[in-house]
Amino acid sequence: MAVSDFPDVRLHVVTGKGGTGKTTVAASLALALASGGKRVLLTEVEGRQGIAQMFDTPPLPYEERKVAVAPGGGEVYALSIDPEMAMLDYLHMFYKLSANGVAARTLRRIGAIEFATTVAPGLRDVLLTGKVKEAVVRPAGGRGRARPSGYAYDAVVLDGPPTGRITRFLNISSEIGGLAKVGPLKTQSDGVMEVLRSPQTAVHIVTLLEEMPVQETIDGAAELAAAGLPVGGVVVNAVRPALLHPADLLAAEAGTLDRGALTAGLEKAGLDAPDELVGMLVAEAGDHAVRMALEERGRDALADLELPSYELPQLSDSVDLAGLYELAALLSAQGLAGAGEAA
Ligand SMILES: Nc1ncnc2c1ncn2[C@@H]1O[C@H](COP(=O)(O)OP(=O)(O)O)[C@@H](O)[C@H]1O
Ligand SMILES: [Mg+2]
């Protein structure tokens, strides 16, 4: 197993343009981090039950559930964090209010919970990130066996909001500033911010080699850095292999492929090579070459970010459980996860 590029990171936040594979990468990263006997919590905050779908389990309750066993005996737990439950959790932690008790029922009835979780977005984000932070700093013991790391979870992975919203979501101190200058909420938000801005956290950005996601990756990395949030790596997902040699790619793009050689190749393979077929193949090679050139430009633009970068192949079909393990192994081999310092 490769040495990890992020040995000190315990909170891995995964963002990216919608549909680029955030949930897929978060799930495979959790598996990779759990490899070799670690315990990892995979969380989501947008109530989509994407994790449950990914691991083919029933919808997750507001409770940490084991969803997978990692290579070498590690475990992946999952939690779908819901703002209302996070609010009740918070009230319980700070005011010892029981979620099913009279006080909580009253708060619900008068709309206080709804107010806090839907009307005040800054407050909602503090509740969500607060729950994530609680899982990151939770000491071992009490719940489950003691861990060598001293923490209940060796690492936490957050399948985060998309690039367009991630900085605001994580930069809660600026949002909460207007809501609370002192008091428990301010203390809570400061505590969360301290973890998010620390070397314990890394925000990874998932992208495809297409114009829009690449641009969002570049913009997102700049926004995160400007807010003092630690940008981790770039995961280039669903990469397709180049089907032609570089010289042939150039010729295909320029429309100067050697038709004679193509015809000869087809005939050598025992295939009929009518002009029509050769013409279609030349056109297809041209499309392929144009796409490869676009991808190459995307790679160049991403390289300018000078961030650690990782590539995952386009798997045939959508990603099933076996696919997740395959992607996890590739992330480990490239060092996004892997053997840290002493575990
Ligand atoms: N490397 C890949 N190869 C093939 N299909 C992929 C790959 N990564 C993601 N997908 C598929 O793309 C779709 C979107 O992925 P998902 O992880 O849900 O994206 P997001 O969370 O960013 O919306 C899913 O159907 C998923 O199975
Ligand atoms: Mg998703």
Side-chain angles (χ1 to χ4, degrees), residues 166-175 193 196-197 227 229:
I166 190 69
T167 301
R168 250 182 75 182
F169 176 74
L170 296 176
N171 199 13
I172 47 169
S173 60
S174 75
E175 288 214 35
M193 217 57 235
L196 293 179
R197 289 223 171 102
L229 291 158

Side-chain angles (χ1 to χ4, degrees), residues 46-61:
E46 301 216 303
R48 300 239 177 93
Q49 293 289 342
I51 297 175
Q53 274 178 37
M54 201 65 56
F55 285 97
D56 222 351
T57 59
L60 296 164

Side-chain angles (χ1 to χ4, degrees), residues 253-288:
E253 201 185 354
T256 57
L257 269 184
D258 185 343
R259 296 175 70 112
L262 192 57
T263 307
L266 285 168
E267 278 167 357
K268 202 171 152 202
L271 297 167
D272 275 346
D275 259 2
E276 209 187 331
L277 176 63
V278 173
M280 269 163 59
L281 285 174
V282 167
E284 234 172 76
D287 289 348
H288 174 68

Side-chain angles (χ1 to χ4, degrees), residues 10 20 37 48 58 66 69 83 125 128 148 168 182 198 223 237 247 252 256 270-271 291-292 318-319 331 335:
R10 299 190 49 256
T20 53
R48 300 239 177 93
K66 185 157 114 181
V69 174
D125 292 351
L128 296 173
R168 250 182 75 182
V182 288
S198 77
E223 271 175 39
N237 188 28
T256 57
L271 297 167
R291 210 175 56 213
M292 286 292 127
S318 70
V319 181
L331 291 178

Side-chain angles (χ1 to χ4, degrees), residues 14-319:
V14 178
T15 184
K17 182 170 160 38
T20 53
K22 281 186 305 296
T23 304
T24 304
V25 169
S28 9
L29 178 57
L31 277 174
L33 290 164
S35 304
K38 303 274 182 48
R39 187 187 294 157
V40 174
L41 181 67
L42 172 61
T43 59
E44 66 189 354
V45 287
E46 301 216 303
R48 300 239 177 93
Q49 293 289 342
I51 297 175
Q53 274 178 37
M54 201 65 56
F55 285 97
D56 222 351
T57 59
L60 296 164
Y62 188 74
E63 190 182 285
E64 290 152 40
R65 285 274 170 92
K66 185 157 114 181
V67 290
V69 174
E75 295 172 324
V76 176
Y77 285 73
L79 174 67
S80 185
I81 303 176
D82 160 86
E84 194 175 312
M85 294 307 292
M87 173 90 192
L88 293 170
D89 218 17
Y90 175 83
L91 294 173
H92 176 71
M93 265 192 293
F94 287 88
Y95 304 105
K96 303 281 170 273
L97 281 191
S98 139
N100 305 314
V102 176
R105 279 208 301 274
T106 305
L107 285 173
R108 237 193 216 123
R109 203 180 58 235
I110 65 172
I113 306 245
E114 199 191 348
F115 170 77
T117 54
T118 61
V119 184
L123 185 50
R124 176 178 171 278
D125 292 351
V126 175
L127 291 167
L128 296 173
T129 50
K131 182 63 193 170
V132 173
K133 179 237 171 186
E134 183 273 320
V136 173
V137 302
R138 188 187 305 158
R143 219 192 261 248
R145 307 176 266 126
R147 310 289 310 153
S149 64
Y151 290 107
Y153 291 105
D154 298 300
V156 175
V157 178
L158 169 61
D159 177 6
T163 351
R165 290 206 299 273
I166 190 69
T167 301
R168 250 182 75 182
F169 176 74
L170 296 176
N171 199 13
I172 47 169
S173 60
S174 75
E175 288 214 35
I176 213 71
L179 283 172
K181 300 259 185 278
V182 288
L185 196 59
K186 175 80 168 71
T187 311
Q188 165 82 347
S189 114
D190 287 349
V192 173
M193 217 57 235
E194 197 180 310
V195 170
L196 293 179
R197 289 223 171 102
S198 77
Q200 282 189 87
T201 298
V203 184
H204 308 298
I205 309 178
V206 182
T207 187
L208 304 173
L209 287 177
E210 289 169 11
E211 206 172 327
M212 294 286 289
V214 165
Q215 193 54 50
E216 279 203 20
T217 302
I218 293 167
D219 297 344
E223 271 175 39
L224 287 162
L229 291 158
V231 182
V234 173
V235 181
V236 182
N237 188 28
V239 174
R240 283 163 297 207
L243 302 172
L244 297 171
H245 293 300
D248 292 337
L249 272 179
L250 286 176
E253 201 185 354
T256 57
L257 269 184
D258 185 343
R259 296 175 70 112
L262 192 57
T263 307
L266 285 168
E267 278 167 357
K268 202 171 152 202
L271 297 167
D272 275 346
D275 259 2
E276 209 187 331
L277 176 63
V278 173
M280 269 163 59
L281 285 174
V282 167
E284 234 172 76
D287 289 348
H288 174 68
V290 167
R291 210 175 56 213
M292 286 292 127
L294 264 172
E295 294 198 355
E296 212 39 53
R297 271 205 292 286
R299 268 201 193 87
D300 288 348
L302 292 171
D304 288 343
L305 288 173
E306 298 189 344
L307 293 170
S309 129
Y310 311 87
E311 284 206 2
L312 294 175
Q314 162 104 58
L315 302 179
S316 50
D317 304 328
S318 70
V319 181

